[in-house]
Amino acid sequence: MAETLPLRKYQAAAIDRLAGGWSAGLVRLAVVLPTGAGKTVVFSHLATRMHGARGVRTLIIAHRDELIQQAAGKVKAVAPHLRVGVVKAERDEHEDFDVIVASVQTLAVPRRREAIRNIGLVIVDEAHHAAAPTYVDTLKHFGCFDRTPTAGFTATMKREDGGLATVWQEVVYTRDILEMIRDRHLVDVRGKRVVVDNLALDGVASRGGDFQEGQLGQALDDSGAASVVADAYLEHAADRPGVVFTPTVLTAHTMADALTKAGIATGVVSGEMPRQERADALAKFSSGDLQVLSNCSVLTEGFDAPWTSCAVIARPTRSVVLYTQMVGRALRPWKGKSDALVLDVMGASSRHRLASIVDLTDYEVSEPEAEETLVEAARRSEVGLALPLSSVAWEDVDLFHESDTAWLMTRAGAWFISVPEAYYFLVPGAEPETYRLRRWIRGAGVQTPDEDTDFPLEYAMRWAETYAARHGGSIARRDASWRARPATEKQVATCRRHGIPLSPGATQGMASEAMAVFFASRTIDRHTNLQRAA
């Protein structure tokens, strides 16, 4: 049956790494993908493949209602033929279901977990929570510490998460936020400091390496931070939908009141609200009746509102994990959205180093200068990762992923098709949001059509695909049978000679694409950079 949510390349690679790890004898493996990378889609495909290959029943463990509903919905979208049940509170749908999505709180009750049998794969959503006793007891019950293949998915897995090393044997796949921005799966981000002169963070007690929520909330309210945040939002983000993160429910209301008073329609969501009331607030944010949501401990995980383009960190933190979760809510691409803005609330002075946008990446990036984005700071820091901004609009990227032709992207962000001895690629047109065709042929260089016409993206792609098919037949099709065969000795030797990364067990398709990107980047990128400069 056709999959309705196809995998991106990195998502497929994550599944391949999990399968390889289990084949090598490991049991509990983790995948780290940034917020917006589609973790739920990945593990939905994983459950589908395991069921299709071996008839395996999958148990997906989550800790919040939104995550449970999201996981169940994604599995149904990926594989409508699978029977998906939910186990939480009064719901007990596990008999004769192929995939069971369960609350860890419910599974902590022995009789509830003991009723669920014949589980051959366990998936843990937000796996950075897995060191908690409720998780450990549940994982042990289902054989995850000795025999049952187990996969953990999270956006953040840091050493500061105590005990996780005893749960997860190895992180088999990870993707950095800068890499996701480069590949147009996330938007670039810039940060602004919102200094509250009367906020004294040095006087706030610590717990678990971070500020204690109650005292932090009190310090924010006592300092008048809410009015400073409202002024900053009006100045820097007046036209942006946003989310405010606060340490306490009281502070969430204080922030909402100040923003609403300033003319920015703001609602509150918190874990203590009735579920329907929380759903109503989220619906108003979705419809645009609310421009901002102010929240306490609700929207850091499982919140899917990609139009959000501003995150207010009114919960100053030293935790990179928490900061990454908060900022990640604003990084998903959306039509008309070019970047995300983070407003970092802080005191005038503090001995504590607070997390900032440079902590979103594991690359060594200098603190951004005034008005600099994370990508711009990374370029200045020469991190060794090609990070130019592509001319192709964010909302059009899916056209390339959905095509039957294997479109690839150079290191500088140019889309191309590889056929024997040639590349067909797109360059920016003279008019906004238009593109022109180019061909590079070995020995002849870059060639321009006799009629160098500006095309809308869909037409430019269609012409490039037509010419590529004439030149290379079906070789550029995604479903070409040769792509699934093991990589040849010649391919492996070529990759080794040029230092092109190639995973163990790579296919001919994977090796061919890796080499094409490497060599095309040397030719196409030089041409497109010259054209842009002209």
Side-chain angles (χ1 to χ4, degrees), residues 46-188:
L46 177 62
T48 303
R49 290 190 186 184
M50 292 288 278
H51 182 271
R54 290 184 275 171
V56 165
R57 289 219 309 165
T58 296
L59 173 66
I60 300 173
I61 303 174
H63 72 289
R64 286 197 16 239
D65 183 64
E66 287 87 353
L67 296 173
I68 292 168
Q69 300 304 326
Q70 189 179 98
K74 280 292 196 301
V75 175
K76 291 175 182 176
V78 168
H81 61 292
L82 293 184
R83 294 163 295 179
V84 182
V86 172
V87 173
K88 71 177 188 70
E90 71 283 353
R91 296 181 67 176
D92 202 25
E93 303 160 358
H94 60 84
E95 292 287 347
D96 299 322
F97 284 91
D98 304 311
V99 178
I100 302 160
V101 187
S103 157
V104 69
Q105 293 88 348
T106 298
L107 295 179
V109 180
R111 65 176 177 80
R112 297 296 295 272
R113 64 182 181 233
E114 288 165 4
I116 302 172
R117 301 179 183 277
N118 301 319
I119 295 299
L121 170 67
V122 174
I123 294 172
V124 180
D125 194 9
E126 303 296 348
H128 54 280
H129 294 296
T134 49
Y135 279 90
V136 173
D137 290 346
T138 298
L139 294 176
K140 286 182 177 178
H141 171 80
F142 287 102
C144 302
F145 278 79
D146 50 30
R147 65 183 185 280
T148 305
T150 305
F153 289 83
T154 180
T156 48
M157 187 84 80
K158 303 290 184 181
R159 293 184 182 276
E160 63 196 67
D161 298 320
L164 283 176
T166 64
V167 177
W168 303 111
Q169 294 168 292
E170 188 174 326
V171 175
V172 293
Y173 189 84
T174 186
R175 193 119 175 119
D176 193 87
I177 279 181
L178 272 177
E179 295 166 350
M180 294 291 290
I181 294 173
R182 175 198 63 188
D183 295 342
R184 306 300 182 257
H185 298 309
L186 297 178
V187 299
D188 199 2

Side-chain angles (χ1 to χ4, degrees), residues 98-376:
D98 304 311
V99 178
I100 302 160
V101 187
S103 157
V104 69
Q105 293 88 348
T106 298
L107 295 179
V109 180
R111 65 176 177 80
R112 297 296 295 272
R113 64 182 181 233
E114 288 165 4
I116 302 172
R117 301 179 183 277
N118 301 319
I119 295 299
L121 170 67
V122 174
I123 294 172
V124 180
D125 194 9
E126 303 296 348
H128 54 280
H129 294 296
T134 49
Y135 279 90
V136 173
D137 290 346
T138 298
L139 294 176
K140 286 182 177 178
H141 171 80
F142 287 102
C144 302
F145 278 79
D146 50 30
R147 65 183 185 280
T148 305
T150 305
F153 289 83
T154 180
T156 48
M157 187 84 80
K158 303 290 184 181
R159 293 184 182 276
E160 63 196 67
D161 298 320
L164 283 176
T166 64
V167 177
W168 303 111
Q169 294 168 292
E170 188 174 326
V171 175
V172 293
Y173 189 84
T174 186
R175 193 119 175 119
D176 193 87
I177 279 181
L178 272 177
E179 295 166 350
M180 294 291 290
I181 294 173
R182 175 198 63 188
D183 295 342
R184 306 300 182 257
H185 298 309
L186 297 178
V187 299
D188 199 2
V189 57
R190 69 182 74 244
K192 288 192 176 290
R193 297 182 177 186
V194 179
V195 178
V196 182
D197 291 333
N198 298 324
L199 179 59
L201 294 176
D202 289 346
V204 177
S206 294
R207 182 173 63 192
D210 201 9
F211 300 113
Q212 197 273 335
E213 291 89 344
Q215 288 195 23
L216 179 60
Q218 189 65 56
L220 286 161
D221 289 335
D222 290 346
S223 67
S227 62
V228 179
V229 167
D231 290 343
Y233 207 100
L234 280 175
E235 180 179 356
H236 302 295
D239 59 343
R240 292 177 180 259
V243 176
V244 181
F245 296 93
T246 70
T248 66
V249 175
L250 178 60
T251 309
H253 282 278
T254 303
M255 292 287 173
D257 290 344
L259 285 161
T260 300
K261 186 177 180 180
I264 300 168
T266 304
V268 175
V269 289
S270 68
E272 65 181 29
M273 292 171 63
R275 183 165 55 179
Q276 187 57 51
E277 188 175 339
R278 192 163 70 228
D280 290 344
L282 293 171
K284 289 180 180 178
F285 183 60
S286 177
S287 67
D289 291 337
L290 291 175
Q291 181 180 347
V292 175
L293 288 178
S294 181
N295 88 104
C296 171
S297 304
V298 172
L299 305 183
T300 53
E301 298 169 341
F303 174 61
D304 189 10
W307 58 88
T308 304
S309 66
C310 180
V312 180
I313 312 303
R315 195 259 180 260
T317 180
R318 305 199 294 271
S319 168
V320 173
V321 171
L322 178 58
Y323 186 85
T324 302
Q325 289 171 337
M326 292 188 287
V327 173
R329 300 302 136 190
L331 299 185
R332 299 188 183 201
W334 188 251
K335 186 175 183 179
K337 175 179 170 181
S338 60
D339 66 6
L341 174 66
V342 179
L343 300 180
D344 285 313
V345 176
M346 59 188 61
S349 63
S350 175
R351 67 174 184 271
H352 300 293
R353 183 194 178 280
L354 302 178
S356 67
I357 66 169
V358 297
D359 296 306
L360 298 173
T361 174
D362 287 332
Y363 287 93
E364 293 293 331
V365 177
S366 302
E367 286 287 342
E369 297 176 352
E371 302 300 324
E372 253 189 347
T373 68
L374 181 62
V375 164
E376 290 164 347

Side-chain angles (χ1 to χ4, degrees), residues 27 43-44 50 53 100 113 161 222 271 279 295 309-310 313 324 337-338 380 391 404 417 420 423 453 466 474 478 488:
V27 179
F43 65 64
S44 296
M50 292 288 278
I100 302 160
R113 64 182 181 233
D161 298 320
D222 290 346
N295 88 104
S309 66
C310 180
I313 312 303
T324 302
K337 175 179 170 181
S338 60
R380 180 170 49 82
S391 61
D404 291 334
I417 305 169
Y423 305 124
T453 307
T466 299
S474 63
R478 289 188 189 278
T488 66

